Amino acid sequence: QVQLVESGGGLVLPGGSLRLSCVAFGIIFSVNVMGWYRQAPGKQRELGAGITSGGRRNYADSVKGRFTISRDNAKNTVYLQMNSLKPEDKAVYYCKYPGGRTNGYWGQGTQVTVSS
């Protein structure tokens, strides 16, 4: 019933920008916390940013000051604006809704590559 659909990944130069989008289906989006995670090859998946229903944000130290998470409740969409991208930001980025079941729900992932 719950589905999260991500888009916006791609290849950018160091210092460039991308905006990721995640559209949620099957939840009452406006009352739920949402998050963006990322997983680099050979590494554990990690939380990058989260946003509450009221718009309160938190960020991993590695992305603080460069990434901005936001939401548009009318569109059931959460965004991740990524600026000043670094090669170490290369990863598959996943949208997550933590409710509904024990481990929540994940999007399919979108690839971000930062390379010269």
Side-chain angles (χ1 to χ4, degrees), residues 23-103:
V23 183
F25 301 87
I27 67 171
I28 305 173
F29 181 84
S30 63
V31 302
N32 288 301
V33 65
M34 299 291 294
W36 282 100
Y37 289 70
R38 65 185 186 179
Q39 187 166 21
K43 296 185 177 180
Q44 299 251 347
R45 194 170 298 184
E46 64 178 7
L47 176 66
I51 185 167
T52 70
S53 61
R56 190 169 187 268
R57 301 165 171 87
N58 69 280
Y59 299 95
D61 288 343
S62 58
V63 309
K64 195 173 298 180
R66 300 187 298 118
F67 291 10
T68 302
I69 188 171
S70 62
R71 64 194 298 156
D72 185 338
N73 290 340
K75 297 181 178 180
N76 280 16
T77 301
V78 61
Y79 303 96
L80 187 67
Q81 177 67 48
M82 304 184 294
N83 298 327
S84 301
L85 283 161
K86 304 174 180 179
E88 52 263 43
D89 295 319
K90 179 183 176 181
V92 179
Y93 284 71
Y94 297 91
C95 181
K96 186 185 182 182
Y97 164 59
R101 62 185 183 183
T102 300
N103 295 319

